[in-house]
Amino acid sequence: MIRYACAALAAAATSVVTSPAHAAIPLQACDSPGFATVLHPAAHKLDARAVWLERRLAQWPGVAGEGLFRLYHSPTGSITIKNGAKVVGASGALDLAVFKGEVPAAAAQRFKYVGAGAVLAVKDADLPRLAQLHREQLVLVREAADGTVLAATRLQTAGALDDLYAAAAEVPDLGATPAKHRTGFKLWAPTAQDVAVCVYEGGTGAATAIHALVFDARTGVWGTNLPADLSGRYYKYAVDVVADGAGLVRNLVTDPYSVSLTTDSKRSYIADLDAPALKPRGWDAQRPPATVKAQPDMAVYELHVRDFSRDDPTVPPAKRGKYTAFSETQSNGMRHLQALARAGLTDIHLLPVYDIGSVPEKACVVPKPAGAPDGEQQQALIAKTADEDCYNWGYDPWHYNAPEGSYSSAPHDGARRIVEFREMVQNLHHAGLRVGLDVVYNHTFRSGQHEKSVLDRVVPGYYHRLDAKGAVEQSTCCDNTATENTMMAKLMIESAELWTRHYKIDSFRFDLMGHQPRAAMETLQARVDKAAKRRVQLIGEGWNFGEVADGARFVQASQLSLNGSGIGTFSDRARDAARGGGAGDAGDAVIRQQGYINGLVYDANARAGTRLVKDLLAAADMIRIGLAGTLRSYSLTTFDDATRRLEDIPYGSQPAGYASQPGETVNYVENHDNQTLYDANALKLPLQTSTEDRARVQVLGLAINAFSQGVAYFHAGVDILRSKSLDRNSFNSGDWFNRVDWSYQTNYFGTGLPPAADNAKDWPLFKPLLADPKLVPLPSDIAFTRDAFRDLLAIRASSTLFRMRTADDVNKRLRFFNVGSKQEPTVLAAHLDGRGYAGAGFKGISYLVNVDKVAHVVTDPQLRGKRMRLHPVHTAKGAGDKRAASAGYDSSNGTFSVPARTAVVFVED
């Protein structure tokens, strides 16, 4: 990502440098050619090593409590610091005292990560001045007796602002709120010196009016009420604020609470989301399909809006890649989704559809690659325009509350994207599918004084998580937000609430949710449930890493600390065991590290070397852990004949079992990240494996996922062998490497070497695979996988035994057989007891997954004498996997015979 030096940014952002003295912001400021005007340039740039703990106390890590401490301030950002000299450019200073008492418990807990150092206190007499001084540049200085500087730093402000303006958390109507005969504007900007709102008739053209906003000293909100309904117009704020490294600036900025925008997010749009004109016909009566009674009922298909229809010739050209493509009920893509819904899929999860900063909404580039299956030219062409083309996954938030314009038929029209988004939701609901959103509240696309930064240009230094020097943390890849801060948590919670209430969103998938506090997520859960008047399912990535890892700053919404919340996290336990290796593998390991379904021990590839049978047994146990929902309390007999609770089985340095209830686990073998399952298998299966068997291996992975307790999560196209030509990170790989074919003729394997940035180091390994035509599946292989997957969905939907509600249910009713040291390690086998269980449909169910190249026989002594038969899905005329019908059961001894590379289910009536 582009980074700018502050001096260069200030020069780029401004067209003119003016005097800071002003009585009001003039109308011409609304049409400034730049996005910021420097009213007074900064004289000095400093790190922010000190931290406000609350309004009165600040802590300065690494500095002893000796000497004189003074807090200098300047309304123009004019302070200059030089060690050994006196401070220059300040308009005044406060003397601070070394604090000897106990830091209040809440502040001590919140800032426990701050390094040891002097705690300083503002004198009681000066406390009333603090709120006003936060609207200026503040520099903390340790001085010698003669007043010369020994050390100096800025201060991180969140602790003070949250204390001073705690009442802001209760402000219900931030943003623009039009109503009959009036329009309100409210912007939380407690450090701003002046704020006005510019009003425009359209998305282009000069401003027609500017209105001063009034500051509320209790909340830090600037607001005004205008005596007209301004719906359909556009606006921006002019915010005069001190920004580190830039000085006193006038930022012309969109609203963090924008509900819509014009092209490329140049202006915010004024809209009442309850207005009839913004609702498609029947919207108010629209209800989601009643397919999810409890979180484990969810069977999710993760889909990118542009991927869905961009290459579908049955969609009119003007609708391809757009929200409106979902209205084409007879298109190949919609027919595919409808078939999945009939089979048992419950939810579509859309990759980010809020306003993103990485795709031009006007005149985006569409490169047209061509070349050999292992050629470099395809990716080279895409790389040239990667930041100007029409494609990105969208993990680049700009405005959290507004629909993305590049998916709209008319991005210049703030109303159209609202209506078309709602039509998309309505069309998916009509197809029998609930709608979930992938949301990315853990970071923003930009911060600081960048043009595509919103939050930092309104309240500099508040909304983002800062390191020990005051720089924005970037462990999530981008500029991390700080949802431990009151107003960032409020933005996240109210954003999710808006999507729930106004767009009828049924569930959310949180990107890098482990970077959010558990407490904020639980508040969000309560708020979206209230907005929907029903349960809204929350799932997310609970990875534990970065500056918040292991609870360094707060109790995280992570795998190990969400148990008991009812919020689900993705489990990597069975995923890695099934696929082999890990997401970060490179070099020889991407081939050598085989997994349970693609040959570990029993079908070694040429690079695998010697692997012990123990490795295969351990992988089988890890998959059983996934099948049991990774529940802490479930007891499993492992391959060494010990019986352990899953929380006592190690997964690296963590417990393998971490969830308290099955709904807290999300099971998957493929999602948008990393290589697709087909590509992983292309790397790991022996080269001589037929395409027919490659399709069967794909189905084995999907079966493990479908049979696992908890939420079942699938990436769009996994059921038709989707390939990204071995790309391990296709977020910015353009349309070319992200294609999907709903006509089932190709999976796009071998369409060129994947982009160099993330893959070049492994090109020597990839080239011979991509050039090998024997790895390209036939349409018959794609059709087989498609149909077999639908059968798996139907089997899962046929019984709540695959979707048990509580850990107690799973503990009592799920029993694995073929376990311990005497097992056949390539066969997973389990029995589900349906007696007396609501929705079970059968007295009992036994499922078996044989990943081997040969048939196997396994026995369950407890089923001797039971009358088991193949699940009706397997014996139906249109069954997808005909081989499953040849599986057998011998009641006299409880023995099952399972064909090679087959997943099969038996039932007892």
Side-chain angles (χ1 to χ4, degrees), residues 12 118 147 293 354 396 416 500 520 591 630 689 733 740 805 816 826 903:
K293 302 295 191 298
Y354 51 69
D396 300 312
R416 282 310 309 160
T500 303
I591 296 176
T630 64
T689 308
S733 298
V740 60
R805 276 43 181 148
F816 291 104
T826 55

Side-chain angles (χ1 to χ4, degrees), residues 523-542:
T523 300
L524 186 151
Q525 177 78 78
R527 292 280 291 272
V528 295
D529 287 356
K530 183 178 180 181
K533 297 183 174 64
R534 55 185 167 82
R535 183 71 169 182
V536 174
Q537 285 72 37
L538 305 184
I539 63 174
E541 292 180 306

Side-chain angles (χ1 to χ4, degrees), residues 568-645:
T569 59
F570 287 83
S571 175
D572 45 352
R573 276 63 167 164
R575 177 202 69 179
D576 287 351
R579 290 168 63 102
D585 287 349
D588 193 59
V590 301
I591 296 176
R592 176 172 43 83
Q593 296 283 1
Q594 288 178 279
Y596 187 72
I597 65 172
N598 52 39
L600 175 61
V601 178
Y602 62 89
D603 193 18
N605 64 45
R607 294 175 181 264
T610 301
R611 296 291 297 272
L612 302 175
V613 173
K614 184 177 71 172
D615 295 336
L616 179 60
L617 291 165
D621 278 350
M622 197 56 65
I623 290 179
R624 292 183 182 101
I625 288 167
L627 289 164
T630 64
L631 293 171
R632 291 169 176 259
S633 59
Y634 188 83
S635 292
L636 176 69
T637 299
T638 53
F639 72 88
D640 57 359
D641 295 321
T643 299
R644 302 181 179 90
R645 286 165 61 99

Side-chain angles (χ1 to χ4, degrees), residues 365-425:
V365 177
V366 183
K368 299 185 183 301
D374 60 343
E376 295 183 24
Q377 57 267 46
Q378 298 96 319
Q379 65 84 36
L381 179 63
I382 285 166
K384 287 181 181 179
T385 59
D387 295 329
E388 291 81 42
D389 72 4
C390 304
Y391 192 86
N392 198 287
W393 279 348
Y395 292 85
D396 300 312
W398 192 352
H399 297 87
Y400 285 116
N401 295 351
E404 164 60 11
S406 69
Y407 302 141
S408 171
S409 66
H412 66 280
D413 183 346
R416 282 310 309 160
R417 65 180 73 185
I418 295 170
V419 174
E420 289 175 357
F421 192 109
R422 286 170 161 169
E423 288 174 342
M424 173 182 65
V425 172

Side-chain angles (χ1 to χ4, degrees), residues 277-363:
L278 296 179
K279 297 175 180 178
R281 180 177 296 179
W283 177 253
D284 286 337
Q286 177 67 44
R287 296 292 182 270
T291 50
V292 174
K293 302 295 191 298
Q295 190 140 311
D297 288 338
M298 293 176 73
V300 181
Y301 205 58
E302 181 193 44
L303 183 65
H304 186 276
V305 168
R306 185 169 171 84
D307 288 351
F308 172 64
S309 60
R310 174 193 59 240
D311 303 303
D312 188 344
T314 63
V315 173
K319 293 185 176 184
R320 293 177 194 169
K322 307 296 183 181
Y323 300 127
T324 51
F326 293 89
S327 67
E328 295 296 312
T329 58
Q330 296 305 306
S331 71
N332 287 342
M334 282 302 291
R335 289 163 66 91
H336 185 85
L337 297 187
Q338 291 159 6
L340 291 175
R342 289 193 297 270
L345 192 76
T346 64
D347 288 57
I348 294 296
H349 270 202
L350 299 170
L351 266 70
V353 285
Y354 51 69
D355 180 56
I356 63 177
S358 51
V359 173
E361 294 178 359
K362 180 181 180 181

